[in-house]
Amino acid sequence: TSKASLSIWGWGGLGVVLFLVTFGPFAIFYLAFYIFCFIGGGFAVTLLYGKINSEKHLEKCEQSYLPPTQIGILKTLDEMKLEMKPIKIDRRLTGSSFIDEPLQQVIQFALRDYIQYWYYTLSEDESFLLEIRQTLQNALVQFSTRSKEVDWQPYFTTRLVDDFATHLRVFRKAQDRLADREDKKRDITEELVDSFFEAEMEMERKICRDVVCTSHKDEEGFLRDLCELLLYLLLPPGDFHNKNMRYFLREVLARGVLLPLINQLSDPDYINQFVIWMIRDSSCNYEAFMNILKLTDKPAELEAVKDKVLEELQYLRSLDTAGDDINVIKNQINSLLFVKKVCETRIQRLHSGKEVDALKLAANFGKLCVIPLDHILIHNIALQFFMDFMQAAGAQAELFFWLTVEGYRVTAQQQLEAMQGQQTDGKKQSSATKGLLKAAALGVYEQYLSDKASPRVQVDEAPVTTLGEKLQKDDPTPEIFDEIQKNVYDMMLRDERYYPSFKQSPLYVRMLAELDMLKEPSYRGSDDGDGESFNGSPTGSINLSLDDLSNSCHDETMHLHAFISDTGVCNDHGKTYALYAITVFRRSHDGSEDCWKTYRRYSDFHDFHMRVIEQFENLASILKLPGKKTFNNMDRDFLEKRKKDLNTYLQLLLNPEMVKACPTLIPYVYDFLENKAYSKGKGEFARKIDTFVNPLRSSMRNVSNAVKGLPDSLAEGMTKVSDNMGRMSERLGQDIKQSILKVPPLLPKSDIDPEHCRVSAQLDDNVDDNIPLRVMLLLMDEVFDLKEKNQWLRRNIKNLLQQLIRATYGDTINRKIVDHVDYLTSPEQVADYVKKFRDSYWPNGILAETPPRRDKSIRMRTRIAAKTSLLGIMPDELKHIIGADTTRKGILRVFDMFQYQPMNRRLVYVFLEGFLETMFPQYKFPELFVKLHSRSPRVHRYGQKLKSSSLKR
């Protein structure tokens, strides 16, 4: 056995050696590789053989147990594959190339950023995207076609304004309810929103949008229903009945387009920024800014302004300046310190709960401006408060008699002048005029002075008896009531029950507030805010006499020449004003000449002009000082124009003919032009009196002309007839009875409270069909709450607005409104709107990122800036018509209305509903909206309340 094993190992080793010598040292690896390939190939052949046999077996099973496939389906699929052609899209949408080009870009960007980015992850088939685009274009074509058939002028001039004014009325009612609330612990914002929608329910009666505006889930449901309805109206029937397509487009429109748009439009911060942008051309009004700081009741707003002031102070103090720049910086620092002091004082008052009522504070201090009775009787605002006081005192008959006599005098003067100017019909026309005037005079006598009068004017019987005898015997004259009227005026002036008591009443303080003559608390007191003081007006105007000027102008033979050589803008304690450099030349009789420069503000010119007119009344019609401007009064072009006008004013003063006619005028002019600080003879109160009263007095040289300027209030009928004496008829007599003989009536009462109706339901049928006037009255009634005023003042406001519109636009105002609406809806403007939308959402063709929510301090400062802008653009003329305090309250009420997002959402939905009702008048959109808003619990409660009240009846 050992030999056998040895031979095996020997032969085996020899074989290995011969193998390695023959095939090399790596042959062993090749052998292993060949063996692996052999085994793997056999395994692959086995699997392939099994797969083929399995498929054959499955085919036999299908043919045996399943029904055969229909040949028609296979044929249809083959035909569809053969007939697939590229969809041709017509790029025409609106029929205007101006609009179609940017609109196609908007569609392309929208599909790319809202659909394509996720669709390509599911499929690469382009047909679906092309179908979507075609569907959108069909809807836009239908929308464009329908919009061209609609007359948008009534919507923009009536419906839109009515919706806004009604929304403001609902907000005002909610504010009034909040002021009377009993539960002081509940959140004010939440309670105001609840009160708002309760008031809406009472106003609309069938609709309440509270659920849609406060519940995100219900809002999405409402938008889905609305979008599905719009798709039904705009899409072809085939596309609409495709459920997948309809639901897809509905979700994109509701949640991707409308909901984000409504969120943005209802954001209070966005609205505030939009207000600032809209009024960006007006310069910042310092007075309006300080008024806002003193009136705001939000500590967060004051804190935000204070933080910004501190930041600016730190920056200014860090500057390294010298020379003239340091004076500018010091002025800026002083202005900022004053603003900081105002903010701190106001914050301390609000936190302590010691809010100061300016009216009560003024009444307690008792140092009030004194306005003469004759000024009150010719000023609309002041007369309103005096009229309310006299009615409360039971003496309205005396005041109405005085006003009626003024109307009669103006009417009689006009009729007699017209009668003298036209003598075509001779005695017939003359007798008709005199008969009419006599009837009017008898009517005044019967209304106020006869024994049958109720109430009767309380005057001495002797002049009344004499007047009655004259009326029976002689023809009436314009001055026939003068003696009794003077007695009534003296009685109102001196009787302690009337004007003296009026000056001590709260109505007088409110009147001063409306005239902007109520002094404000001083902020220079102690830090705790208790150092307020009220400074009354000067006891009298300081007049410059000739004796006062005798030392400054000895030489009567000297000659003055002056002109404004330069204009600059200065900043003093935060108040910006224009300064005019006047170059003055003086030549004496000996030939010597002097030259100097003096600097004056416009207020100095105004003060000087008042003093001159006071001393030289005959110059009032000759000297015309350039008027004031409410905003943009620092604009370079405006300053140049004012410089030119003031130069003309100076040259007129120094004209040799003027000097010759009024030699005593020279000392006044010399004092004004002398190189020294000008000593103003008029205080702030006197200038305000001049601003409010003298414009009326200059245009109406006596009180009777004030009535002439307000024809509807007292003598409308006869003033209209004065242009054509031949048309006097029975209608004139009726006009006289309505305008002269009757006491100004109160608002007519109706069964339905006007406050519970839409604003358009309360339009006065007697207002002429003048769109701007109707719109202005509509808005002013709600913004400034003019319904609280008496009917006499409302008629005067109407006339002043009417005169303002006609003076500005004449009789073409309606045409201008229509032209403006046509311009706003023209293809070029619509294309511009689409381009702005495209550039806003896709700047440079890229979808804009959602901006982050702005910091609270920035939002608070934006609120202050928006309120300042709104208050700053209000013209002085508006304050003169309705009052400064009423103007401020009205503007701030509009601003406050936009600071609550649920209420803003309601306004957006109201505008949207009005737009759809105008766009599709043939469909029953009003009934549809009633159904869509019927989910509100308030609607059910109000319906049950009406049912219960009807059952009780």
Side-chain angles (χ1 to χ4, degrees):
T1 56
S2 61
K3 290 181 178 181
S5 60
L6 180 63
S7 62
I8 292 174
W9 281 105
W11 286 106
L14 179 62
V16 171
V17 171
L18 291 176
F19 180 81
L20 292 174
V21 171
T22 303
F23 296 103
F26 297 99
I28 188 69
F29 298 104
Y30 294 137
L31 180 62
F33 177 72
Y34 295 152
I35 295 172
F36 176 77
C37 290
F38 177 77
I39 297 173
F43 184 73
V45 170
T46 303
L47 288 178
L48 181 61
Y49 179 77
K51 180 176 180 295
I52 293 173
N53 289 335
S54 299
E55 290 178 350
K56 290 180 179 180
H57 178 71
L58 288 174
E59 289 179 359
K60 292 179 181 179
C61 292
E62 289 178 356
Q63 292 176 359
S64 301
Y65 301 105
L66 296 176
T69 305
Q70 295 182 6
I71 300 176
I73 296 178
L74 297 174
K75 186 176 180 181
T76 302
L77 291 174
D78 293 337
E79 290 180 355
M80 290 177 62
K81 292 178 181 179
L82 293 174
E83 292 180 359
M84 286 191 64
K85 298 179 181 180
I87 300 176
K88 294 182 179 180
I89 297 180
D90 188 357
R91 300 183 63 86
R92 293 175 297 177
L93 297 174
T94 63
S96 173
S97 59
F98 297 105
I99 305 175
D100 291 349
E101 181 180 352
L103 198 56
Q104 285 287 355
Q105 292 179 344
V106 170
I107 295 175
Q108 179 182 348
F109 293 153
L111 291 175
R112 180 195 67 189
D113 295 326
Y114 290 102
I115 297 178
Q116 290 179 5
Y117 82 95
W118 57 264
Y119 175 75
Y120 281 132
T121 63
L122 303 177
S123 173
E124 295 181 357
D125 187 7
E126 297 283 346
S127 60
F128 173 76
L129 297 176
L130 294 176
E131 290 288 349
I132 287 287
R133 186 180 188 117
Q134 184 66 49
T135 301
L136 287 177
Q137 293 196 172
N138 290 336
L140 288 174
V141 169
Q142 291 293 328
F143 182 85
S144 173
T145 304
R146 181 61 203 143
S147 63
K148 292 177 182 177
E149 299 173 356
V150 175
D151 182 12
W152 291 104
Q153 188 260 344
Y155 172 75
F156 284 110
T157 58
T158 305
R159 174 65 186 267
L160 197 68
V161 179
D162 176 44
D163 288 339
F164 179 81
T166 302
H167 184 82
L168 183 59
R169 172 178 289 185
V170 175
F171 177 73
R172 180 168 51 80
K173 288 169 66 67
Q175 279 187 321
D176 295 340
R177 293 182 180 183
L178 193 65
D180 301 333
R181 66 192 177 109
E182 298 178 357
D183 185 8
K184 303 291 183 179
K185 297 181 180 180
R186 191 181 176 188
D187 181 64
I188 295 179
T189 301
E190 181 182 349
E191 187 167 354
L192 181 62
V193 172
D194 286 345
S195 299
F196 178 86
F197 287 109
E198 288 289 346
E200 184 198 21
M201 186 68 252
E202 296 176 0
M203 187 83 66
E204 300 285 354
R205 300 179 184 276
K206 296 181 180 180
I207 290 180
C208 186
R209 301 170 181 86
D210 56 341
V211 173
V212 174
C213 297
T214 56
S215 171
H216 186 71
K217 180 179 179 181
D218 289 302
E219 183 178 21
E220 288 187 355
F222 172 80
L223 289 176
R224 287 192 184 98
D225 293 339
L226 189 60
C227 289
E228 191 159 357
L229 176 62
L230 291 177
L231 292 175
Y232 171 76
L233 296 176
L234 298 175
L235 291 182
D239 291 336
F240 178 79
H241 292 299
N242 185 339
K243 290 187 177 181
N244 293 332
M245 175 74 74
R246 183 169 81 243
Y247 292 159
F248 173 78
L249 290 178
R250 184 190 70 181
E251 291 301 313
V252 170
L253 286 176
R255 302 191 61 182
V257 178
L258 288 180
L259 191 58
L261 182 62
I262 292 171
N263 287 336
Q264 184 174 21
L265 293 178
S266 61
D267 182 18
D269 187 53
Y270 174 79
I271 296 175
N272 295 338
Q273 294 179 67
F274 183 75
V275 168
I276 296 172
W277 177 82
M278 287 289 292
I279 320 176
R280 62 190 181 278
D281 294 333
S282 64
S283 59
C284 182
N285 189 309
Y286 169 81
E287 182 181 0
F289 175 67
M290 296 309 299
N291 279 334
I292 292 300
L293 292 183
K294 296 170 186 177
L295 292 173
T296 184
D297 57 353
K298 304 290 184 184
E301 296 178 357
L302 298 167
E303 291 285 359
V305 174
K306 178 185 170 184
D307 292 342
K308 191 63 176 178
V309 167
L310 293 175
E311 180 182 333
E312 291 294 324
L313 283 173
Q314 185 177 3
Y315 169 73
L316 291 175
R317 286 167 175 167
S318 66
L319 295 178
D320 185 12
T321 57
D324 296 336
D325 291 340
I326 195 170
N327 294 325
V328 175
I329 292 177
K330 284 183 177 179
N331 287 335
Q332 292 177 355
I333 290 176
N334 290 334
S335 300
L336 291 173
L337 289 174
F338 177 72
V339 174
K340 174 175 171 288
K341 179 67 176 178
V342 172
C343 292
E344 290 175 344
T345 305
R346 183 70 177 160
I347 291 171
Q348 189 171 5
R349 287 176 180 166
L350 292 174
H351 285 322
S352 64
K354 297 178 180 178
E355 177 60 15
V356 178
D357 188 334
L359 299 182
K360 293 181 180 178
L361 186 62
N364 292 336
F365 274 85
K367 298 179 181 179
L368 302 175
C369 306
V370 177
I371 300 182
L373 179 60
D374 57 341
H375 287 180
I376 291 176
L377 292 175
I378 65 170
H379 195 282
N380 289 329
I381 300 172
L383 182 56
Q384 171 214 340
F385 288 97
F386 187 59
M387 188 178 294
D388 291 342
F389 176 83
M390 295 293 283
Q391 286 179 335
Q396 66 269 27
E398 283 74 11
L399 178 59
F400 290 151
F401 170 76
W402 191 92
L403 294 172
T404 303
V405 169
E406 289 302 310
Y408 169 80
R409 183 187 296 110
V410 173
T411 301
Q413 290 173 350
Q414 289 179 341
Q415 297 305 310
L416 293 177
E417 289 174 1
M419 182 183 66
Q420 295 173 0
Q422 298 180 3
Q423 298 294 337
T424 55
D425 292 339
K427 294 183 180 180
K428 181 179 180 181
Q429 193 175 59
S430 175
S431 60
T433 303
K434 292 180 180 179
L436 210 64
L437 292 178
K438 187 170 185 178
L442 287 172
V444 174
Y445 178 83
E446 294 292 336
Q447 181 76 21
Y448 296 104
L449 300 174
S450 67
D451 296 334
K452 300 178 181 179
S454 177
R456 187 173 185 270
V457 176
Q458 301 300 318
V459 291
D460 294 338
E461 291 296 332
V464 173
T465 304
T466 304
L467 174 65
E469 295 175 354
K470 287 183 178 180
L471 289 175
Q472 294 297 330
K473 297 179 181 179
D474 305 328
D475 292 331
T477 63
E479 300 80 15
I480 194 170
F481 294 101
D482 282 4
E483 181 181 358
I484 300 178
Q485 187 192 30
K486 183 178 183 302
N487 293 339
V488 171
Y489 177 85
D490 292 339
M491 179 178 62
M492 291 190 297
L493 178 66
R494 295 181 173 82
D495 195 315
E496 290 295 331
R497 296 173 298 172
Y498 306 139
Y499 177 66
S501 296
F502 174 63
K503 290 189 295 183
Q504 306 299 323
S505 69
L507 284 173
Y508 187 78
V509 180
R510 288 177 54 196
M511 179 192 74
L512 294 180
E514 292 289 4
L515 297 178
D516 209 16
M517 295 180 185
L518 195 61
K519 298 295 180 180
E520 297 178 355
S522 172
Y523 287 87
R524 300 175 184 174
S526 59
D527 291 341
D528 59 0
D530 294 332
E532 303 92 347
S533 63
F534 270 75
N535 299 320
S537 65
T539 55
S541 61
I542 303 174
N543 298 325
L544 185 65
S545 65
L546 293 180
D547 295 336
D548 299 329
L549 293 171
S550 59
N551 295 328
S552 55
C553 184
H554 296 285
D555 194 349
E556 297 180 357
T557 60
M558 70 176 183
H559 298 280
L560 285 177
H561 174 64
F563 64 93
I564 300 176
S565 54
D566 197 10
T567 305
V569 178
C570 299
N571 187 288
D572 184 17
H573 296 286
K575 189 167 186 178
T576 303
Y577 56 87
L579 201 62
Y580 301 92
I582 306 175
T583 302
V584 185
F585 295 93
R586 180 181 63 180
R587 188 177 75 248
S588 301
H589 68 287
D590 57 359
S592 61
E593 292 187 356
D594 293 326
C595 178
W596 67 86
K597 278 193 175 183
T598 186
Y599 299 90
R600 295 288 181 258
R601 296 173 53 179
Y602 177 80
S603 60
D604 299 328
F605 277 95
H606 189 196
D607 184 88
F608 168 74
H609 180 75
M610 291 172 58
R611 293 164 68 178
V612 169
I613 296 303
E614 189 174 279
Q615 293 295 323
F616 306 94
E617 293 185 359
N618 57 326
L619 296 182
S621 60
I622 302 175
L623 291 175
K624 300 296 182 183
L625 187 69
K628 301 177 71 175
K629 189 178 181 183
T630 306
F631 49 89
N632 283 343
N633 52 11
M634 294 296 112
D635 180 69
R636 171 55 56 183
D637 295 337
F638 171 73
L639 291 179
E640 287 298 323
K641 182 180 183 301
R642 175 172 279 181
K643 170 186 171 183
K644 180 180 178 181
D645 294 340
L646 290 177
N647 257 325
T648 304
Y649 179 81
L650 275 179
Q651 301 315 312
L652 182 59
L653 278 172
L654 299 173
N655 186 284
E657 296 297 329
M658 178 74 73
V659 174
K660 182 178 179 180
C662 301
T664 55
L665 178 64
I666 288 297
Y668 292 87
V669 178
Y670 183 83
D671 179 71
F672 178 71
L673 297 177
E674 195 172 2
N675 187 15
K676 64 177 183 179
Y678 183 57
S679 175
K680 294 182 179 180
K682 303 288 183 181
E684 184 69 19
F685 166 72
R687 279 192 293 276
K688 286 185 177 181
I689 279 285
D690 180 73
T691 301
F692 280 95
V693 178
N694 284 352
L696 284 174
R697 298 183 68 186
S698 62
S699 61
M700 316 163 195
R701 299 312 301 172
N702 53 50
V703 184
S704 65
N705 287 336
V707 184
K708 181 179 178 180
L710 306 173
D712 279 357
S713 60
L714 296 169
E716 178 181 11
M718 299 193 73
T719 54
K720 289 181 178 178
V721 177
S722 62
D723 294 334
N724 192 342
M725 288 294 294
R727 295 184 179 181
M728 288 189 300
S729 62
E730 182 180 357
R731 184 179 66 85
L732 175 60
Q734 296 297 325
D735 288 339
I736 295 175
K737 292 180 181 180
Q738 294 176 4
S739 58
I740 294 182
L741 307 184
K742 299 296 183 182
V743 177
L746 299 176
L747 285 171
K749 295 184 179 180
S750 61
D751 296 334
I752 302 176
D753 187 358
E755 288 293 297
H756 290 167
C757 300
R758 290 183 63 87
V759 173
S760 59
Q762 299 300 312
L763 279 175
D764 187 1
D765 294 335
N766 295 324
V767 178
D768 56 354
D769 190 17
N770 189 311
I771 293 174
L773 181 62
R774 293 165 70 93
V775 170
M776 290 181 69
L777 288 174
L778 197 77
L779 282 176
M780 289 187 67
D781 267 353
E782 295 307 318
V783 173
F784 303 109
D785 200 12
L786 297 182
K787 288 177 289 299
E788 297 298 324
K789 313 292 183 182
N790 57 47
Q791 183 74 353
W792 181 88
L793 180 67
R794 294 191 72 212
R795 281 205 303 267
N796 290 350
I797 291 173
K798 171 202 164 184
N799 280 282
L800 290 172
L801 290 175
Q802 207 168 17
Q803 293 169 11
L804 179 63
I805 291 174
R806 288 173 179 170
T808 306
Y809 300 104
D811 295 329
T812 64
I813 183 65
N814 287 337
R815 183 69 258 171
K816 287 180 180 291
I817 287 286
V818 174
D819 291 343
H820 189 62
V821 172
D822 291 341
Y823 169 74
L824 292 177
T825 56
S826 64
E828 294 80 5
Q829 285 300 110
V830 174
D832 188 54
Y833 304 149
V834 176
K835 290 177 182 178
K836 289 180 179 178
F837 174 79
R838 177 199 63 193
D839 296 338
S840 298
Y841 278 81
W842 290 279
N844 299 320
I846 302 174
L847 182 63
E849 297 181 358
T850 302
R853 184 169 175 80
R854 304 199 312 159
D855 182 72
K856 181 180 178 182
S857 61
I858 298 178
R859 287 185 278 117
M860 291 298 104
R861 287 196 293 271
T862 304
R863 285 168 58 99
I864 292 289
K867 285 191 282 189
T868 302
S869 300
L870 286 172
L871 197 60
I873 64 169
M874 289 297 106
D876 287 338
E877 291 77 13
L878 183 63
K879 298 177 183 178
H880 297 170
I881 294 175
I882 63 176
D885 193 52
T886 299
T887 301
R888 281 192 291 267
K889 289 180 179 178
I891 293 301
L892 293 180
R893 180 185 296 115
V894 173
F895 174 82
D896 290 338
M897 181 185 69
F898 287 117
Q899 304 313 305
Y900 302 92
Q901 191 160 14
M903 301 180 192
N904 294 340
R905 299 183 93 85
R906 187 260 178 194
L907 184 61
V908 172
Y909 282 118
V910 167
F911 286 161
L912 178 61
E913 292 168 11
F915 176 81
L916 293 177
E917 291 177 15
T918 306
M919 174 71 82
F920 305 101
Q922 70 272 32
Y923 300 102
K924 298 180 179 180
F925 265 99
E927 291 83 354
L928 174 67
F929 288 129
V930 171
K931 294 180 180 179
L932 291 179
H933 292 298
S934 61
R935 305 187 185 111
S936 172
R938 284 189 171 88
V939 175
H940 299 293
R941 289 199 300 266
Y942 188 76
Q944 293 176 357
K945 180 181 177 181
L946 290 180
K947 289 181 181 179
S948 61
S949 61
S950 61
L951 291 176
K952 290 180 180 179
R953 292 179 182 177

